[in-house]
Amino acid sequence: MKKDNVILFPGLKERLFRKGIDSLENLQYADAVNLLQQAKELSPEDPQIDKALVIALYEKGDYEEAKDIAKEMLLQGAGDYYEVFDLYLMILIQLHLHDEVVHTLETLFEEQHVPEDKREHYQTLLNFSKKTVDNKKNDFVEKSVSAEEVTEGSFQEQIIKLGSLADKNIQPYLESVVGLLKNGQAHPFLQTVALNVLKEHHIERTVEVRKLGFSGTFNPSTLPDVTETPFFQSVQSELEKELEHENPVLMRQVKEMIKRHQFLMFPFEPEYEKMMLWAAVYRGYSRMMYGEDWNKKKAAEKLGLEETELDEVLSFLELLEQVSEQMG
């Protein structure tokens, strides 16, 4: 097989695609973009490749290029329309193109092509973007909002409100965000988003965080990225040693679970000394999710621990999964 006088090896596109997906799952977004762009060159109209490339570009922060590809996919009807449509809306919001969000959603509603299960979500986004556009037209003066107002509406709307603070003058909102962080009843995911907003603004004051029964004080400007905490890196590395070759599919599932849990727990993390315990429980819990047996007694003996110690961590993982499900 040749293209422009270059010999192409059979299955090259598939290998590039798989490697691109692996890089994406491992948060190596620049590598993912490079590999998926190479795959796209070999197959310019493959919706699977295009969708993965849009996600990789979005995660890398190349929003304009991601927007162009997503828009072209919508025009061509490539891939699952509403999956691509949701990605396109996320990109428009990230670029603060709320006028385009309004036009896009109003057109969709006028054509009466909105699925029932997405109607409320799209209406919320439409109202939010309309309000943002109106505020700009009226030379709106930002006012501080209470922690309750920041977290009003659907879960997605709350995330958008908090995320929109990243490029605003944070000072009028600072006390509201700080109040959210110390509200032990707030959703942990939203609290992590709020903490990341303070981190992006290099806020150096000490803030109190209460979530999942933990409490502590932190300086947002000195916090590591969510997936760069020593515990996260160590547990992931330990599991890779055992599962990467034995069961790579299970390894990917466990990685996703750990990332999800770490985001909920952040900035708290288990003691580093308990890394082996947590790795063992993650391994056992993931097997249980697939209907396999897990001999906790044998696992505890191997680590020189009491079975009750594994039970405590297992109960906490189950709690984190329940909290994840609330995000819907």
Side-chain angles (χ1 to χ4, degrees):
M1 184 189 298
K2 292 188 177 182
K3 183 179 180 182
D4 297 333
N5 297 322
V6 177
I7 297 174
L8 301 180
F9 293 100
L12 177 58
K13 179 194 76 173
E14 288 75 14
R15 288 201 295 275
L16 288 168
F17 176 69
R18 285 198 300 271
K19 287 184 177 180
I21 294 297
D22 287 342
S23 295
L24 188 57
E25 291 176 347
N26 289 318
L27 312 181
Q28 297 166 339
Y29 302 128
D31 290 343
V33 168
N34 181 40
L35 290 161
L36 292 167
Q37 283 176 333
Q38 291 181 60
K40 182 174 173 61
E41 287 178 9
L42 300 177
S43 184
E45 296 182 0
D46 187 320
Q48 264 194 317
I49 294 174
D50 284 343
K51 179 186 169 186
L53 180 55
V54 169
I55 294 171
L57 287 165
Y58 177 87
E59 295 291 354
K60 185 171 177 282
D62 295 340
Y63 304 122
E64 287 290 352
E65 189 175 349
K67 171 176 169 280
D68 291 342
I69 297 173
K71 188 173 185 177
E72 187 64 25
M73 290 180 73
L74 291 173
L75 292 172
Q76 294 177 353
D80 184 299
Y81 182 84
Y82 287 102
E83 284 186 7
V84 179
F85 189 78
D86 286 344
L87 284 171
Y88 185 61
L89 289 177
M90 284 171 55
I91 295 164
L92 291 181
I93 290 169
Q94 192 67 45
L95 288 168
H96 310 294
L97 298 175
H98 293 282
D99 51 346
E100 288 192 39
V101 174
V102 171
H103 172 72
T104 303
L105 285 172
E106 283 186 338
T107 301
L108 193 71
F109 276 109
E110 286 170 7
E111 295 174 351
Q112 299 183 334
H113 290 162
V114 185
E116 195 59 40
D117 62 336
K118 290 183 175 290
R119 184 172 294 274
E120 183 180 351
H121 172 53
Y122 287 164
Q123 188 62 59
T124 298
L125 292 181
L126 177 57
N127 294 340
F128 174 78
S129 290
K130 275 184 174 179
K131 184 176 180 180
T132 303
V133 171
D134 290 342
N135 287 344
K136 288 181 180 178
K137 287 179 180 177
N138 298 326
D139 195 23
F140 179 74
V141 178
E142 293 178 352
K143 296 179 181 179
S144 179
V145 293
S146 68
E148 290 75 18
E149 289 173 322
V150 167
T151 55
E152 274 184 352
S154 69
F155 188 80
Q156 290 296 329
E157 186 178 8
Q158 295 170 50
I159 293 173
I160 291 169
K161 284 181 179 180
L162 286 167
S164 70
L165 301 181
D167 62 347
K168 291 183 178 180
N169 173 12
I170 193 63
Q171 291 306 318
Y173 298 89
L174 188 55
E175 295 309 316
S176 300
V177 176
V178 169
L180 175 63
L181 290 172
K182 63 182 180 183
N183 177 4
Q185 301 303 310
H187 196 289
F189 187 94
L190 294 173
Q191 289 178 303
T192 299
V193 173
L195 197 55
N196 280 335
V197 168
L198 298 186
K199 176 177 166 61
E200 288 178 25
H201 280 282
H202 306 289
I203 299 300
E204 295 187 352
R205 64 178 278 186
T206 299
V207 298
E208 182 180 6
V209 183
R210 298 177 189 170
K211 61 159 65 175
L212 298 168
F214 301 105
S215 64
T217 54
F218 303 89
N219 181 334
S221 68
T222 63
L223 288 172
D225 289 338
V226 174
T227 56
E228 291 181 357
T229 62
F231 181 83
F232 175 84
Q233 296 286 344
S234 299
V235 169
Q236 183 169 262
S237 174
E238 185 62 32
L239 286 168
E240 282 177 348
K241 291 177 188 175
E242 298 188 36
L243 294 177
E244 194 160 31
H245 300 295
E246 173 192 333
N247 193 334
V249 174
L250 180 60
M251 183 65 238
R252 284 197 293 271
Q253 296 286 340
V254 177
K255 275 186 179 180
E256 287 303 313
M257 187 192 305
I258 297 172
K259 281 188 278 189
R260 192 165 64 244
H261 291 176
Q262 180 65 28
F263 198 90
L264 292 174
M265 288 190 289
F266 189 78
F268 300 101
E269 57 180 324
E271 297 171 18
Y272 182 80
E273 291 74 18
K274 294 186 177 181
M275 182 263 292
M276 296 295 288
L277 166 62
W278 277 70
V281 176
Y282 267 118
R283 185 170 57 250
Y285 182 56
S286 60
R287 293 187 185 281
M288 289 167 61
M289 290 176 66
Y290 280 89
E292 298 180 22
D293 292 329
W294 179 39
N295 191 327
K296 285 187 289 182
K297 183 176 181 181
K298 186 176 179 181
E301 289 174 352
K302 184 178 178 181
L303 294 169
L305 301 171
E306 296 294 328
E307 191 174 340
T308 53
E309 293 181 79
L310 274 70
D311 284 329
E312 288 177 6
V313 176
L314 179 61
S315 295
F316 190 67
L317 296 196
E318 290 172 341
L319 170 64
L320 291 174
E321 281 298 281
Q322 290 173 12
V323 173
S324 295
E325 289 172 5
Q326 293 170 8
M327 292 158 54

